[in-house]
Amino acid sequence: MLLAVASLLEAVAGARALARMAATAGGAPLARAAAAPPAGTLAAIVPTLDEERRVGRALAALSASGAEVGEIVVVDGGSTDGTRAVVEAAALRDPRVRFLSAPPLPAGWNGKAWNLQVGLDATSAPWVATVDADVRVGATLLGDAVARARADGLSALSVATRQELPDAVAALLHPALLTTLVYRAGLPNVATGDPSKVQANGQVMVARRDALRDAGALRAARDSRCEDVTIARVLAAAGGRVGFYEGDAVVRMHESWRECAAGWPRSLTLRDRFVSPARLALTLGELLFAQGLPLPMLLLLIALGDRVPLGRAATAIAAALTVARAGVLIGTRRAYVRPSLAYWFSPLADLPAVALLTASALRRRHVWRGRVLNVETAS
């Protein structure tokens, strides 16, 4: 009886995940615009906290952008390393670069959201790009993003970056965690005005200044554990359309698999005030049965053979979902820079990935770089 129930839940959850992928298939990634936007169209805001090792490469990439990027403002949340010196050296090479120390955090704000708000207030271009300090954007990416947003009538869009992984264990875990996004939200290269279907990545996000201001999007995300998704959801709830596209940007998010396991699930749960506890529980349950259990179930059923009642039907369901997972693995390969052999074994980490998301969703206290984060209560 237990096997029959588990197999039925696998079939239902798997069908729902595959339906989301089918509904978002066929979109086009960002492409080179026919003409760059006018000079000064966009201000790039780079939030930092102890980014000495990484921000130099991010700024070098931004400095390769054309005149459409009129400002590159690094808003620092109180770094104690050499971040400021690296930024000031970059400013000597590119007058668009400037360093800005954020005022002390107001009550109820988290650091990144506050840095972005400070950067928004300190710039004036009609479009704003938020770029994390560990991202290297292509020379035309931000201009291409503005052109695509204008053409598609979007309030904002974010970029599905390509990942550099630090070690073999991360090559197992990171793709399994990334796949949880595919199962929940579908494929990239889509736009939507439905807050429940929004996809977003705060590593590179381009938005209209007036849309951010009028919706109060940054203030709404001040205590979110996934501020990028919250910003996108607020814009969609205000009547805007938000896009999520593959584009020319590379990121090294973590320096070890331990950082990946400890840090990414906090935002990857996508839990904010738009998500009720019941909906979050349903989402995690679907991940468990659609992504986490099919491969272990298949291996177990093969080992048990004909000794299990309904074994053939259960095996067929688990096998079908395992094949579908292999298809997703092939599709997400392009999200990685030179994926190693370990990447192809990452479905073995699916169950631990779901467990990490679940544990993070239940945790009330989150710490980032030694700072305890404010976390809103989902309702």
Side-chain angles (χ1 to χ4, degrees):
M1 180 62 179
L2 184 60
L3 177 62
V5 171
S7 295
L8 177 61
L9 291 173
E10 281 186 351
V12 172
R16 285 172 58 87
L18 292 172
R20 284 189 283 268
M21 294 180 216
T24 51
L30 290 179
R32 184 72 176 267
T41 294
L42 184 142
I45 301 171
V46 184
T48 58
L49 177 63
D50 294 334
E51 297 285 3
E52 176 185 7
R53 292 182 298 169
R54 299 187 284 191
V55 71
R57 292 192 299 169
L59 293 176
L62 283 168
S63 288
S65 299
E68 66 272 13
V69 180
E71 300 176 86
I72 303 170
V73 181
V74 178
V75 184
D76 188 72
S79 294
T80 58
D81 63 359
T83 296
R84 180 167 189 160
V86 173
V87 176
E88 289 177 343
L92 295 176
R93 298 186 292 270
D94 184 348
R96 294 176 296 177
V97 177
R98 62 186 169 110
F99 181 90
L100 181 62
S101 292
L105 273 176
W109 284 76
N110 287 324
K112 182 176 180 179
W114 176 239
N115 285 7
L116 295 179
Q117 182 66 62
V118 171
L120 185 70
D121 294 340
T123 56
S124 58
W127 288 82
V128 173
T130 65
V131 182
D132 281 359
D134 52 6
V135 176
R136 287 109 64 201
V137 299
T140 68
L141 175 71
L142 299 183
D144 295 340
V146 170
R148 180 65 172 270
R150 284 174 166 167
D152 292 355
L154 307 179
S155 295
L157 66 79
S158 55
V159 178
T161 54
R162 296 176 64 219
Q163 306 287 328
E164 287 183 342
L165 300 178
D167 53 51
V169 179
L172 287 171
L173 180 60
H174 192 284
L177 288 167
L178 179 67
T179 298
T180 68
L181 284 175
V182 177
Y183 274 60
R184 284 175 286 169
L187 306 179
N189 304 319
V190 295
T192 182
D194 184 344
S196 69
K197 297 180 179 179
V198 157
Q199 299 188 58
N201 177 17
Q203 292 168 338
V204 183
M205 180 178 285
V206 173
R208 291 195 343 252
R209 174 183 298 277
D210 62 342
L212 291 173
R213 181 194 62 230
D214 294 347
L218 296 182
R219 177 168 292 277
R222 64 190 180 277
D223 55 357
S224 173
R225 71 186 79 188
C226 52
E227 70 285 325
D228 49 357
V229 176
T230 299
I231 290 167
R233 286 171 173 165
V234 169
L235 292 173
R241 296 181 71 243
V242 179
F244 180 61
Y245 303 100
E246 294 171 293
D248 182 17
V250 175
V251 62
R252 185 183 177 99
M253 291 174 61
H254 307 104
E255 296 304 321
S256 71
W257 70 267
R258 291 180 178 84
E259 282 189 15
C260 179
W264 200 18
R266 170 182 56 81
S267 59
L268 200 56
T269 57
L270 310 185
R271 180 182 180 181
D272 63 10
R273 58 178 53 87
F274 286 86
V275 179
S276 68
R279 179 180 162 194
L280 180 62
L282 176 61
T283 298
L284 292 172
E286 285 191 353
L287 279 178
L288 175 64
F289 286 100
Q291 182 185 344
L293 286 181
L295 179 56
M297 180 81 78
L298 177 62
L299 296 176
L300 177 62
L301 288 168
I302 290 174
L304 293 175
D306 294 334
R307 289 172 288 175
V308 180
L310 301 175
R312 290 185 180 180
T315 300
I317 292 171
L321 292 178
T322 300
V323 170
R325 175 67 177 92
V328 173
L329 184 66
I330 294 169
T332 55
R333 180 194 180 279
R334 64 181 183 268
Y336 293 90
V337 178
R338 298 181 298 277
S340 67
L341 180 62
Y343 169 83
W344 298 104
F345 292 90
S346 59
L348 296 172
D350 281 352
L351 193 54
V354 175
L356 285 171
L357 286 189
T358 303
S360 182
L362 295 173
R363 186 175 302 124
R364 293 299 305 152
R365 185 177 186 272
H366 294 269
V367 178
W368 186 73
R369 295 193 177 174
R371 297 185 178 181
V372 177
L373 300 180
N374 295 289
V375 177
E376 81 289 345
T377 301
S379 59

